[in-house]
Amino acid sequence: MANVLVVEDDQFVRSALIRELTERAHAVRSAGTALDALREVTRAAPDVVILDLGLPDLDGTEALKMLRGVSDVPVIVATARDDETEIVRLLNAGADDYLIKPFSGEHLSARLGAVLRRSQQSAQPRVYRVGGLRVDPDRREAFLDDRPLALTRREFDLLAHLASRPGHVVSRRELLTEVWQQPYGDDQTIDVHLSWLRRKLGETASRPRYLHTVRGVGVKLIAP
């Protein structure tokens, strides 16, 4: 059972969705406007939101962005616009999935179940282990052979991002975007932080153990 917030201004459609979800043992709340939906989400966060785009007080995309501003609750967008460009735009704006109207109860249930499964998986504690290295992003702790590593905030973010993709070459562009939150920048900044991180891992660029530079491509983290 999940706590579902249905955001739909059409009374008939809203009632049908509430009935369908209730019959499938979900607890359902509803809102008819974007502002009411925001109040509901901030008052008591649901497990998932089903958001209609044709709301009377606010454009659906703007409503989605506002929801994303106050909560990371999964959002399934219900839209009559069967257009790939529009769907891509909505997913990029923060939607977790979408439904094209009209849709069946079975289709709704399948999409809802998939989103809830992904949400539950992402909510599980993350601890990355690579050889003797252990990185816990939630606690912001890192250990090498059970010894705590004293890392700066940026060093930790860099190590955690690499540890989340062990064995994969991570490009410098990706590091700038994901770790430094910058679309572009100076490669020397990455090199300096990698040098500091290597020192704390007891290695050098010429004698790497965990951090391996792939010339002209990026960096990968592997077990020694």
Side-chain angles (χ1 to χ4, degrees), residues 88-107:
V88 168
R89 188 171 68 86
L90 291 168
L91 292 172
N92 287 335
D96 294 272
D97 208 338
Y98 65 92
L99 286 161
I100 303 296
K101 292 181 175 181
F103 49 83
S104 66
E106 288 74 18
H107 193 176

Side-chain angles (χ1 to χ4, degrees), residues 42 101 119 124 131 153 159 178 190 200 207:
T42 54
K101 292 181 175 181
S119 175
Q124 292 174 358
R153 180 178 64 85
L159 180 61
E178 299 298 329
I190 298 175
K200 293 180 180 181
R207 291 188 173 183

Side-chain angles (χ1 to χ4, degrees), residues 6 18 31 46-47 64 78 82 134 141 153 200 205 214 221:
V6 173
I18 292 172
D47 296 318
L64 177 59
D82 188 5
R134 177 163 54 92
E141 294 176 343
R153 180 178 64 85
K200 293 180 180 181
V214 180
L221 180 73

